[in-house]
């Protein structure tokens, strides 16, 4: 078993008077795909956003690829290149082409010359099968294509970990497949992934470990067959039961 | 110049006391003028906007030409033209009449554009639904479309009204004794800048709440633009 | 002489027109120069204030908001009067051109700041987050991701506001600047014929009609689908 590449310990998060994370411990090993499920408001997205410090945790420690994310001396912009993130609402830059979206950080953060940045951006787009859409603006792409461009934007920086925050929730059902396919291929290439999603089928098929969160805490975790087939906790059972009924 | 001299030149209480009756009369005239020209301009705008709903190019193109003409002429030019020009055509106009005509033409064009955008923002289905219940076209416009239209463009209407109230200060050019004119008179009599400064402060106190309100409304409007 | 002849003789008098056309043309170029100076200074200063405001330094932001509110609430002509007639009391004399330029630049600055700020805050938080998650710093995120989107949103309101404020150049005639209106009024008082005013009005149309039509086009071209 390889060492943990993501390690969160005792993470708390307050939003004003709201206690959203109540001491979460999560370790993710290299090449592992961890799936985080739970009812809305359970804190799963907040946990994900704490891992690359889009949200500032109120307490606890977070280490990614050996870097202390919460240390003031850490160059957060450098650290974030190692952590790719994909958002529910894609967040593509509407004023740039697909290629421009992917190449921006390569040029400005990694300092690559334009030609090299665009060559690498094109490779990333190829990996999500969208090389032929490189010149399109986000407004000219379907939601599924936009999300795959967003994935390309993240993997172009060759991150050590990828975070997915409900990547298919904003998509029409017929567009979900393409995004899941891109994620599956990413997984097969050995990427470490933390996924917050409601795609239970994908979780069963691809996850190494499923983490169930509720009320700001991790209630139960284990291999998918255990969590879905034989949950130990009452709350997990209730949640899985509700989902299965749909 | 010492600080005391500066205060004496711009914020002299003594001068303010002397000038106050003059300024007060000017303020009242400014308010009175606003109460006249704002409804007048709004009325002009409403007429233009309603004409804009007529689907005929014989109405549409002259209308666009009219609106663009009066949006192209600076309001002061229009005012001077009416006030100093019309007498040559044998029409003596008082300063107030000149201001009323100028504002009706200029402000009306702006209100007209705003109201037109408002009417266009109301979905077609609203008129269709109203007509299906037996309302006439005029009734549908008055009771269904216009109330929604005004609500949709309320920030722009308020903003334009603010500009119109500020614009009444150009009436000073044709010697209508509104606030700025009175302040200038007081200044030339006292040889002191306090009256103009006082006029500026009065305008600010009067209009600041409107500016604050607008700033909030506009931020929300821009967020809706995406 | 019929009424019509008298009308033509008054407003379209060829002899007077020929005599004063050169003055009006001089005024035309002066208006353009003044307008260009105002747009340059006003938009640049307004954008700079908006960028400063996005740094989020509280005391600085209060100051910016106050200055912006101030120049939105004051009528431009009052600011011009204060600068031109008031400042000499402080031992500082501005030329009419400088006073009009400074006053209208300050007004345009205020509106530009307000519009840009609304545009910047209207860019969704997700755009910041996406850029920051790829390691882009604050400055890169702001200039490469947020500002271009804000600019696109603000182009229509900014265009219209800029047109409205540059039309205020006519106010400079009040402080003895021989721009179009100033030259036209001087012509009327010398010739005792309103034809120079007609020329002036035509000059303004030549200048602003294309701009107003351009503004109309910009509004549809850059409209975001709601």
């Amino acid at each position: 078993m390889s060492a943990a590449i993501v390690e969160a310990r005792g993470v708390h998060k307050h939003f004003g008077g709201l206690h959203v994370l109540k001491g979460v411990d999560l370790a993710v090993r290299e090449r592992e795909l961890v799936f985080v499920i739970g009812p809305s408001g359970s804190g799963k997205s907040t946990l994900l956003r704490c891992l690359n410090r889009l949200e500032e945790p109120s307490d606890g420690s977070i280490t990614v690829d050996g870097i202390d994310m919460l240390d003031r001396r850490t160059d957060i912009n450098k650290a974030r290149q190692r952590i790719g993130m994909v958002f529910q609402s894609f967040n593509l830059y509407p004023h740039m082409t697909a290629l421009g979206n992917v190449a921006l950080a390569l040029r400005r953060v990694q300092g690559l010359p334009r030609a090299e940045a665009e060559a690498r951006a094109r490779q990333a787009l190829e990996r999500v099968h969208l090389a032929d859409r490189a010149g399109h603006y986000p407004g000219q792409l379907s939601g599924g294509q936009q999300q795959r461009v967003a994935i390309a934007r993240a993997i172009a920086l060759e991150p050590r970990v990828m975070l997915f925050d409900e990547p298919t929730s904003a998509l029409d059902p017929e567009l979900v497949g393409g995004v899941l396919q891109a994620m599956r291929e990413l997984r097969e290439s050995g990427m470490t992934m933390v996924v917050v999603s409601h795609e239970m089928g994908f979780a069963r098929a691809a996850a190494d470990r499923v983490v169930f969160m509720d009320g700001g805490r991790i209630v139960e975790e284990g291999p998918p067959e255990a969590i879905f087939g034989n949950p130990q906790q009452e709350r997990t059972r209730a949640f899985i039961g509700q989902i299965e009924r749909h | 110049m010492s600080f005391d001299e500066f205060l004496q030149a711009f914020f002299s209480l003594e001068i303010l006391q002397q000038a106050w009756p003059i300024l007060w009369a000017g303020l009242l005239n400014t308010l009175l003028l606003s109460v006249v020209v704002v409804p007048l301009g709004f009325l002009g705008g409403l007429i233009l906007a309603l004409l804009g709903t007529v689907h005929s190019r014989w109405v549409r193109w002259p209308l666009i030409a009219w609106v663009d003409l009066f949006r192209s002429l600076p309001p002061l030019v229009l005012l001077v033209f009416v006030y100093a020009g019309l007498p040559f055509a044998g029409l003596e106009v008082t300063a107030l009449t000149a201001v009323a005509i100028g504002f009706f033409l200029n402000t009306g064009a702006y209100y007209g554009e705003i109201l037109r955008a408002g009417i266009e923002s109301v979905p077609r289905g609203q008129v269709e639904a109203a007509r299906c219940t037996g309302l006439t076209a005029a009734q549908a416009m008055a009771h269904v479309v216009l109330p929604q239209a005004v609500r949709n463009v309320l920030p722009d209407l308020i903003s334009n009204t603010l500009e119109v109230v500020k614009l009444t200060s150009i009436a000073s050019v044709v010697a209508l004794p509104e606030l700025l004119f009175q302040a200038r008179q007081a200044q030339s009599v006292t040889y002191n800048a306090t009256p103009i400064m006082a006029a500026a402060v009065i305008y600010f106190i009067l209009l600041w709440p409107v500016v604050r309100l607008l700033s909030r409304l506009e931020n929300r409007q821009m967020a809706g633009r995406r | 002489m019929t009424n019509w002849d008298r009308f033509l003789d008054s407003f379209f008098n060829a002899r007077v027109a020929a005599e004063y056309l050169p003055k009006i043309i001089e005024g035309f170029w002066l208006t353009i120069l003044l307008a260009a100076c105002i747009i340059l200074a006003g938009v640049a200063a307004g954008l700079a204030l908006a960028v400063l405001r996005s740094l989020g330094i509280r005391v600085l932001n209060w100051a910016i908001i106050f200055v912006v509110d101030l120049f939105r609430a004051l009528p431009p002509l009052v600011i011009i009067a204060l600068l031109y007639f008031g400042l000499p009391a402080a031992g500082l004399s501005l030329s009419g051109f400088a006073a009009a330029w400074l006053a209208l630049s300050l007004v345009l600055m205020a509106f530009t700041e307000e519009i840009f700020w609304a545009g910047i805050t209207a860019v969704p938080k997700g755009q910041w987050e996406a850029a920051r998650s790829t390691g882009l710093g604050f400055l890169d995120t702001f200039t490469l991701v947020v500002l271009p989107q804000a600019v696109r949103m603000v182009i229509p309101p900014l265009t219209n506001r800029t047109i409205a404020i540059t039309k205020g150049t006519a106010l400079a005639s009040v402080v003895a600047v021989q721009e179009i209106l100033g030259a036209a009024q001087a012509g009327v008082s010398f010739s005792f014929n309103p034809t120079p005013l007609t020329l002036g009005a035509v000059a303004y149309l030549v200048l602003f009609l294309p701009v107003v039509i351009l503004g109309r086009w910009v509004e549809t071209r850059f409209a975001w689908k709601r």
Side-chain angles (χ1 to χ4, degrees), chain C residues 63-88:
Chain C
I64 291 172
I65 292 170
F66 178 76
V67 167
V68 166
D69 281 4
L70 181 66
F71 289 110
R72 280 188 70 176
L74 291 183
L77 191 54
V78 172
I79 305 170
I80 293 176
L82 202 56
L83 291 177
Y84 186 76
F85 300 110
L87 273 191

Side-chain angles (χ1 to χ4, degrees), chain C residues 8-46:
Chain C
L8 282 185
D9 187 59
S10 292
F11 288 92
F12 299 93
N13 186 308
R15 185 186 50 78
V16 178
E19 190 178 342
Y20 289 97
L21 188 61
K23 288 274 180 215
I24 300 286
I25 290 175
E26 267 176 49
F28 183 80
W29 295 121
L30 196 58
T31 293
I32 288 182
L33 179 68
L34 183 55
C37 291
I38 290 164
I39 294 171
L40 224 60
V43 172

Side-chain angles (χ1 to χ4, degrees), chain C residues 105-158:
Chain C
S105 297
L106 288 170
V107 174
L108 183 56
M109 170 189 83
F111 279 101
T112 304
E113 193 282 333
E114 190 73 20
I115 291 170
F116 264 110
W117 176 248
I120 289 167
T121 51
V123 174
K125 206 164 137 256
Q127 292 289 314
W128 284 95
E129 290 177 348
R132 296 308 297 269
S133 79
T134 61
L136 254 61
F138 175 88
L139 208 64
D140 273 344
T141 303
F142 184 77
T143 54
L144 300 172
V145 175
V146 176
L147 200 56
Q149 296 179 52
V151 166
R152 199 189 149 98
M153 270 184 273
V154 306
I155 278 179
L158 190 60

Side-chain angles (χ1 to χ4, degrees), chain B residues 74-94:
Chain B
L76 182 58
V77 174
L78 206 56
L79 177 59
V80 169
F81 199 90
V82 172
Y83 184 71
L86 284 190
F88 287 98
L91 288 167
E92 285 298 334
V93 285
T94 64

